[in-house]
């Protein structure tokens, strides 16, 4: 596939050199029940480019048709207390700042619906959620809440809403400029609600040298100035933008812009340069590989976290861990996509014999160490 020659955000053709991660699994958050199916997951190159105009980092050979966002797509993080606390804080802050109490909330890309249920509960609000990976639950939804297992467009919005939520979606959308304009049309149809975006911050990935935060499912990586600029290009005004969840994510609150101004492209900020990230992150991965090799010669090692970071990390390494631990029951008993590595529960007896557990996400380090202490784990932990 020829790399696209233009930026999907601003349309500029002034792009940086290519940075290729060959043969990455196309799905990370997908349930596989047996090792054969998991290890045969389709693989494609991730070919990153950075726009010199707006600073967007994107996969120039991305093909969205390769990713099945169906009911086997599983990326809920709600089994972690640290993540639960982040969602709770966000729901309360959004309700208070934007007067959502008793209002109506629309979520674009609601996943299985966990955040919309939480927010509508906190705000005593009604809600509508749209997502192709939504799965109806056995228990009935709370009154005033409805879900649709499909995409949403402005023509679906026939009544006003007080908020439009779009969390962890923009990093998955190839035509991001057009998507933000669609979101603007939805906001117009909904009567100028607050529009809330949440997505990873590229600066955090660069700081941490976490090459395992680059994966096929994410076709876009946003420096903070880039996302604000693209939202303004789409006709929004940025009311708030802040780093959240240990600075891994950014949250933006948008309103419709009243006037159109000539916008100056932000370029590439120094802490978000793809070229230097690529160079330094590769060296960092080599260093880690040597440490894991030493652990293998001892009592063996595991990774804690079968989310995107854990799956991407294990796929980047030639040397595989004995197992991957995850507290999400829907993942336990399955296989890590792209590998034959089993996903086990924190209670699994194999953990006691290991010499090293690698914690894929630093935000969960405290709660993971507490669980390990409780279980009398005598090996070491390494937080990435
Ligand atoms: Zn651009």
């Amino acid at each position: 596939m020829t790399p696209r020659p233009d930026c999907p955000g601003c349309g500029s053709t002034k792009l940086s050199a290519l940075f290729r991660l060959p043969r990455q699994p196309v799905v990370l958050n997908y349930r596989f029940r047996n090792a054969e199916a998991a290890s045969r997951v389709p693989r494609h190159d991730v070919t990153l480019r950075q726009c010199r105009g707006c600073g967007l980092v994107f996969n120039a050979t991305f093909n969205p048709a390769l990713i099945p966002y169906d009911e086997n797509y599983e990326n809920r993080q709600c089994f972690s207390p640290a993540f639960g606390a982040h969602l709770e804080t966000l729901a309360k802050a959004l309700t208070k700042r934007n007067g959502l109490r008793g209002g109506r909330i629309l979520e674009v890309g609601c996943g299985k619906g966990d955040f919309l249920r939480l927010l509508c509960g906190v705000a005593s609000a009604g809600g509508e959620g749209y997502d192709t990976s939504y799965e109806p639950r056995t228990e009935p939804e709370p009154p005033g809440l409805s879900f649709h297992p499909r995409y949403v467009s402005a023509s679906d919005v026939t009544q006003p809403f007080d908020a439009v939520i779009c969390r962890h979606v923009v990093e998955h959308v190839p035509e991001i400029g057009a998507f933000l304009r669609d979101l603007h049309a939805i906001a117009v149809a909904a009567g100028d609600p607050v529009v809330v975006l949440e997505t990873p911050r590229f600066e955090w990935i660069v700081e941490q040298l976490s090459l395992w935060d680059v994966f096929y499912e994410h076709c876009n990586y946003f420096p903070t100035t880039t996302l604000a600029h693209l939202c303004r290009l789409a006709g929004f005004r940025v009311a708030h933008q802040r780093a959240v969840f240990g600075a891994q994510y950014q949250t933006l609150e948008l309103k419709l812009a009243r006037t159109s101004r000539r916008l100056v492209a932000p370029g590439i900020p120094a802490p978000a340069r793809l070229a230097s990230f690529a160079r330094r992150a590769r060296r960092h991965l080599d260093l880690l590989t040597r440490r894991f090799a030493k652990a293998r010669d001892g009592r063996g090692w595991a990774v804690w976290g079968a989310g995107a970071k854990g799956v991407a990390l294990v796929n980047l390494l030639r040397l595989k861990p004995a197992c991957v631990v995850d507290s999400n029951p829907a993942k336990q008993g399955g296989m890590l996509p792209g590998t034959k590595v089993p996903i086990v529960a924190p209670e699994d007896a194999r953990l006691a014999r290991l010499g090293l557990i690698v914690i894929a996400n630093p935000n969960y380090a405290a709660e993971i160490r507490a669980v390990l202490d409780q279980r009398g784990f005598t090996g070491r932990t390494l937080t990435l």
Side-chain angles (χ1 to χ4, degrees):
M1 188 172 175
T2 323
R4 71 182 284 167
D6 59 329
C7 168
C10 73
S12 169
T13 51
K14 294 197 177 81
L15 306 176
S16 75
L18 297 173
F19 167 49
R20 200 180 298 273
L21 283 173
R23 295 187 31 80
Q24 298 302 300
V26 298
V27 282
L28 301 180
N29 293 301
Y30 204 74
R31 286 181 287 221
F32 291 103
R33 283 291 157 220
N34 68 68
E36 277 316 306
S39 62
R40 280 199 318 261
V41 63
R43 292 171 178 279
H44 285 273
D45 294 355
V46 170
T47 316
L48 295 185
R49 271 191 147 164
Q50 188 161 32
C51 172
R52 294 187 198 280
C54 72
L56 180 70
V57 174
F58 62 97
N59 180 356
T61 52
F62 182 69
N63 178 2
L66 295 173
I67 302 174
Y69 288 120
D70 59 22
E71 72 283 356
N72 277 321
Y73 185 77
E74 169 62 55
N75 75 340
R76 284 177 294 176
Q77 292 164 299
C78 52
F79 302 96
S80 150
F83 195 73
H86 162 61
L87 295 184
E88 189 94 25
T89 307
L90 178 65
K92 285 182 182 155
L94 287 177
T95 302
K96 199 170 161 202
R97 246 196 328 269
N98 300 290
L100 301 184
R101 196 152 290 285
R104 296 184 73 244
I105 296 159
L106 172 69
E107 187 165 11
V108 178
C110 64
K112 312 284 184 209
D114 297 302
F115 183 68
L116 189 58
R117 278 182 214 109
L118 171 72
L119 178 57
C120 289
V122 166
S124 307
E128 277 190 52
Y130 288 81
D131 201 301
T132 53
S133 78
Y134 173 74
E135 276 175 296
R137 302 193 301 175
T138 38
E139 66 263 51
E141 293 294 349
L145 212 56
S146 59
F147 290 97
H148 312 272
R150 60 181 176 88
Y151 293 110
V152 58
S153 71
S155 60
D156 294 303
V157 181
T158 52
Q159 292 178 64
F161 283 92
D162 301 282
V164 174
I165 310 293
C166 188
R167 297 182 52 252
H168 300 272
V169 172
V170 292
E171 64 272 29
H172 297 265
V173 178
E175 296 303 328
I176 186 60
F179 177 81
L180 291 171
R181 289 191 293 276
D182 287 349
L183 212 53
H184 183 270
I186 287 173
V188 170
D192 196 9
V194 60
V195 176
V196 180
L197 302 185
E198 187 176 280
T199 187
R201 259 178 85 235
F202 186 58
E203 287 91 336
W204 187 85
I205 298 174
V206 174
E207 260 163 51
Q208 303 289 316
L209 302 178
S210 54
L211 206 51
W212 42 92
D213 273 304
V214 173
F215 32 78
Y216 200 86
E217 284 179 23
H218 288 183
C219 53
N220 300 317
Y221 302 82
F222 299 95
T224 49
T225 45
T226 301
L227 188 53
H229 177 71
L230 295 179
C231 290
R232 289 186 189 109
L233 274 185
F236 288 110
R237 164 172 76 79
V238 181
H240 289 280
Q241 182 174 21
R242 51 178 70 77
V244 295
F245 196 51
Q248 282 190 36
Y249 300 156
Q250 51 187 319
T251 304
L252 285 79
E253 292 178 32
L254 312 169
K255 295 286 284 176
L256 299 179
R258 294 276 165 240
T259 50
S260 63
R261 282 184 300 144
R262 233 185 98 78
L263 296 167
V264 180
I268 302 173
R273 281 194 194 122
L274 174 63
S276 77
F277 165 70
R279 218 171 31 243
R280 290 157 56 221
R282 276 206 202 279
R283 277 206 301 269
H284 185 53
L285 187 68
D286 290 344
L287 196 80
L288 284 174
T289 306
R290 286 199 289 275
R291 291 183 72 170
F292 298 159
K294 267 189 212 151
R296 187 189 57 169
D297 297 339
R299 289 154 63 195
W301 64 291
V303 171
W304 192 304
K309 285 183 207 296
V311 182
L313 172 68
V314 174
N315 275 282
L316 284 170
L317 297 166
R318 256 178 303 129
L319 199 70
K320 304 299 181 200
C323 57
V324 172
V325 189
D326 202 283
S327 53
N328 180 346
K331 296 196 171 190
Q332 294 160 7
M335 293 289 161
L336 204 73
T339 73
K340 292 183 178 177
V341 178
I343 303 171
V344 304
E347 297 77 29
D348 195 278
R350 274 169 279 189
L351 263 61
R353 297 193 290 270
L354 298 170
L356 174 70
I357 291 183
V358 177
I359 299 173
N361 190 333
N363 282 7
Y364 305 142
E367 68 191 50
I368 291 168
R369 279 203 207 95
V371 171
L372 289 171
D373 284 348
Q374 209 178 29
R375 303 194 59 80
F377 178 67
T378 57
R380 287 176 304 123
T381 58
L382 171 71
T383 304
L384 295 179

